[in-house]
Amino acid sequence: MIEFIHVSKKYGTHSAINDVSFFIDRGEFVTLVGPSGSGKSTLIKLLIAEEKPTGGQIVVAGRDITTLSSRELPFYRRKIGVVFQDYKLLPHKTVAENVAFALEVSDTSGPEVLAKVPEILEMVGLKDKGKSMPDELSGGEQQRVSIARALVHQPKLLIADEPSGNLDPINTWEIIELLFKINKSGTIVLLATHDKEVVDALKKRVITLRDGKIVADQVKGKYVL
Amino acid sequence: MAIIRGLKIGLVDFWRNRWLSLAATFMMTLTIVTMAMFTLLSLSVNQTTKILQEKIDIAVFIKDEATDIQIQGLQNEIGAMPDVKEVRFTSKEEALAQFREASKPRPVIIRLLDLGHGGSIPRSIVIKANDPSSLESIASAINQSQYNVIVTKVSYEESKSSIDRYISMTHFVERAGWVLSGLFILIAVLVIYNTIRLTIFMRKTEIEIMQLVGATGWYIKFPLIFEGVLYGLIAAVLSTVLLFIGVKSASPFITKYIDSNSFDFSHFFIANLSKIIGIELLVSVLVGGFCSYLAIKKHLK
């Protein structure tokens, strides 16, 4: 489903990603770990096609995304869901509007938006919070809204970049459980995290990056730096 | 659907940045009013010049001893000249009657005429040309003609100098109009460009999220371009109202200054209203849309 083939990314003379190759199959839950500056964020940027690699190929569902034109890019983005540490919610929109927003930009009809939004909010456990504003929610709840927004297009891949970075342990586990639930429905989850406890408890595949290179790729890995 | 959403977002942004929007719209209005005012002035001065040029003619005064055959010959020769539009002979009696008519406000002259002092008014041939600028060459052709012997004087209308004054005024109005309009367009472009740029900065997160969830470039850009076009549309409406008021109140003074009964500035404005509104809309919408496009191109990655 996702294949990195000898991918490199240089910023000037600095090499952020250096000859990285791996394959992620359908339905996998993969954790991406590594110290700051190891290249995790760059790898995610490459995967969401925010940046182009300086070498190699990135194949997603049979398509080399490094050759996407600016016209094709939005349609690719609709096939993947992305969640960030800072949630990236629109503060002047309600929870439901924040989720609906992702559907509206892809020209979904009004009735379809009205039908899908409550469904997805129920899935992330925010059924009754549709009319709340983001600042009325806890960090964990805000991250759930962000996950709900990432899921509205029913993506085959969900990328979570430090989703629990701003959360306390209880909220962190709630988010991880939610990601697990999403993964069980068949969506690939790529989780980039610093949280050793989470990684060790997950007992899922762990790809460890250091200085832009993969130093370990374990099927049931642990957080080892 | 997407267009309606885009229009809605554009309107909301316009309202959210209302003070900036107001400044941009005001600048645009000022630009259009200036351009329209100078265009109107320039057109009306042109129009008046034409009316005045219509009136320019040459009078060829005939010596008293000239025979009718000689006069007829001169008339035929003038009539055969390529640029001549009209040749009219005025006899002594007609000239006297015209002079008497023109001198009505001066009873002293009328009394002198009554006493028989009008006999010295010469016969004349009045010539009009298709193009008033060729009158000069017609005049010199008459001076070189064989019939020159029967001519006392070829008068090139004194009004020539005043016509020249009008023409140079037209040029001045045109040039000043271009310079001022250019200056205001430049300011309007900068103000609108900056307003849209600020909108982009204010909506940075929103735009980033839009891109993240798969909004097309058009979906993101449309509301911003519409916002620029909106400045133009409002400015076009405002400037039409302002111009209407301005022309209505300035019309008597302008008509008086141009000094022509056959030209009414206010009527001229109303007759050309649809054209004026059309041009205003075109200019303002193009300038507004273009500025937004520039800002988007530079600041939206």
Side-chain angles (χ1 to χ4, degrees):
Chain A
M1 175 73 187
I2 302 167
E3 192 170 14
F4 271 57
I5 308 164
H6 302 295
V7 176
S8 297
K9 175 69 183 174
K10 278 186 175 180
Y11 294 104
T13 53
H14 171 69
S15 195
I17 292 282
N18 193 0
D19 195 24
V20 164
S21 297
F22 62 85
F23 178 79
I24 298 176
D25 210 351
R26 278 171 209 282
E28 272 198 88
F29 192 116
V30 180
T31 313
L32 193 62
V33 300
S36 297
S38 60
K40 294 194 303 292
S41 293
T42 307
L43 198 142
I44 286 172
K45 278 181 185 167
L46 292 172
L47 194 53
I48 63 175
E50 199 183 312
E51 302 263 4
K52 286 204 171 186
T54 38
Q57 282 180 299
I58 302 167
V59 182
V60 178
R63 173 78 160 90
D64 182 1
I65 64 158
T66 61
T67 59
L68 285 176
S69 68
S70 54
R71 277 173 189 272
E72 291 170 307
L73 186 64
F75 299 96
Y76 169 68
R77 293 257 172 90
R78 290 175 201 176
K79 289 182 191 154
I80 56 173
V82 195
V83 175
F84 292 97
Q85 183 174 349
D86 58 357
Y87 326 126
K88 293 197 192 298
L89 298 178
L90 295 169
H92 57 272
K93 285 188 193 283
T94 66
V95 166
E97 283 168 352
N98 263 287
V99 178
F101 182 68
L103 288 168
E104 282 166 4
V105 300
S106 58
D107 223 5
T108 312
S109 72
E112 210 180 328
V113 174
L114 285 176
K116 271 191 175 175
V117 172
E119 217 175 274
I120 214 92
L121 283 178
E122 189 171 357
M123 190 190 162
V124 299
L126 293 173
K127 198 176 133 192
D128 304 323
K129 302 273 183 176
K131 285 182 180 164
S132 305
M133 298 307 278
D135 59 5
E136 293 165 7
L137 305 180
S138 71
E141 285 171 329
Q142 289 191 49
Q143 192 57 290
R144 281 161 188 270
V145 179
S146 151
I147 293 173
R149 188 184 58 200
L151 291 177
V152 282
H153 290 307
Q154 294 165 311
K156 291 275 171 279
L157 166 66
L158 179 70
I159 301 162
D161 189 7
E162 305 277 3
S164 55
N166 288 341
L167 304 177
D168 58 37
I170 294 170
N171 274 309
T172 297
W173 277 108
E174 280 177 4
I175 293 298
I176 299 300
E177 272 165 24
L178 182 58
L179 293 178
F180 243 85
K181 192 171 136 191
I182 291 159
N183 176 241
K184 274 189 185 147
S185 67
T187 307
I188 299 173
V189 174
L190 181 65
L191 168 70
T193 184
H194 265 114
D195 198 326
K196 184 179 184 319
E197 247 179 76
V198 168
V199 179
D200 290 348
L202 277 173
K203 296 190 173 61
K204 291 283 184 182
R205 182 178 169 191
V206 177
I207 296 176
T208 309
L209 280 174
R210 189 178 297 146
D211 298 329
K213 283 189 169 186
I214 293 182
V215 291
D217 187 351
Q218 304 152 290
V219 181
K220 280 190 179 178
K222 290 204 165 193
Y223 191 94
V224 183
L225 292 180
Chain B
M1 201 68 170
I3 290 180
I4 294 169
R5 275 177 191 150
L7 294 177
K8 212 175 113 189
I9 296 170
L11 279 172
V12 169
D13 278 339
F14 183 89
W15 181 246
R16 218 181 268 164
N17 308 340
R18 51 191 170 278
W19 291 112
L20 278 170
S21 304
L22 198 72
T25 309
F26 174 72
M27 213 42 240
M28 184 77 110
T29 309
L30 200 62
T31 307
I32 295 168
V33 168
T34 311
M35 281 177 80
M37 207 62 211
F38 275 98
T39 311
L40 270 175
L41 264 178
S42 164
L43 283 175
S44 52
V45 174
N46 262 333
Q47 192 74 20
T48 323
T49 312
K50 255 185 221 156
I51 293 168
L52 290 172
Q53 279 178 335
E54 284 279 302
K55 289 181 181 169
I56 311 179
D57 51 24
I58 304 177
V60 179
F61 297 100
I62 314 286
K63 285 179 182 165
D64 285 347
E65 59 267 31
T67 65
D68 287 348
I69 299 163
Q70 280 176 314
I71 295 169
Q72 192 57 50
L74 177 61
Q75 239 177 309
N76 290 345
E77 193 179 303
I78 295 167
M81 288 179 189
D83 289 326
V84 173
K85 186 174 154 193
E86 193 187 314
V87 183
R88 190 166 38 84
F89 175 72
T90 308
S91 66
K92 274 181 178 291
E93 294 72 28
E94 281 166 341
L96 186 62
Q98 279 171 17
F99 184 61
R100 191 182 278 275
E101 186 65 28
S103 307
K104 257 187 182 167
R106 296 176 187 167
V108 182
I109 295 177
I110 300 291
R111 215 174 306 136
L112 282 172
L113 288 174
D114 287 344
L115 290 170
H117 291 284
S120 60
I121 295 176
R123 292 167 291 180
S124 64
I125 297 170
V126 175
I127 307 159
K128 279 193 176 172
N130 291 317
D131 175 9
S133 63
S134 57
L135 284 175
E136 207 163 352
S137 63
I138 294 173
S140 72
I142 294 167
N143 282 331
Q144 284 158 21
S145 148
Q146 54 165 318
Y147 294 107
N148 192 29
V149 285
I150 61 161
V151 174
T152 51
K153 187 184 161 198
V154 179
S155 93
Y156 197 171
E157 252 333 280
E158 298 80 19
S159 57
K160 186 182 180 296
S161 65
S162 67
I163 297 298
D164 286 345
R165 192 163 55 90
Y166 269 112
I167 291 171
S168 71
M169 191 173 96
T170 316
H171 288 168
F172 172 74
V173 168
E174 256 173 28
R175 244 173 282 150
W178 279 116
V179 170
L180 270 180
S181 301
L183 198 71
F184 280 131
I185 282 188
L186 189 73
I187 298 170
V189 163
L190 288 174
V191 172
I192 293 166
Y193 176 86
N194 272 310
T195 312
I196 298 292
R197 209 175 64 146
L198 272 169
T199 307
I200 292 172
F201 282 130
M202 284 170 74
R203 291 185 50 211
K204 206 171 162 235
T205 320
E206 195 177 344
I207 289 168
E208 196 186 333
I209 297 166
M210 275 188 187
Q211 288 171 326
L212 203 68
V213 294
T216 56
W218 169 243
Y219 186 94
I220 297 168
K221 288 170 191 167
F222 180 71
L224 295 165
I225 292 181
F226 172 66
E227 206 182 317
V229 169
L230 198 63
Y231 299 148
L233 280 175
I234 297 175
V237 173
L238 274 179
S239 50
T240 307
V241 173
L242 284 177
L243 270 176
F244 194 80
I245 297 168
V247 166
K248 273 279 171 199
S249 46
S251 178
F253 301 104
I254 292 174
T255 308
K256 195 177 164 194
Y257 180 71
I258 287 171
D259 194 22
S260 164
N261 294 326
S262 43
F263 183 78
D264 185 324
F265 190 58
S266 159
H267 281 160
F268 181 76
F269 175 73
I270 291 163
N272 289 289
L273 197 60
S274 59
K275 250 189 250 169
I276 293 166
I277 294 175
I279 294 168
E280 276 178 6
L281 276 175
L282 192 76
V283 170
S284 54
V285 166
L286 278 180
V287 170
F290 176 71
C291 295
S292 298
Y293 175 76
L294 275 187
I296 290 163
K297 210 173 165 212
K298 184 137 180 18
H299 297 280
L300 207 65
K301 291 270 155 61

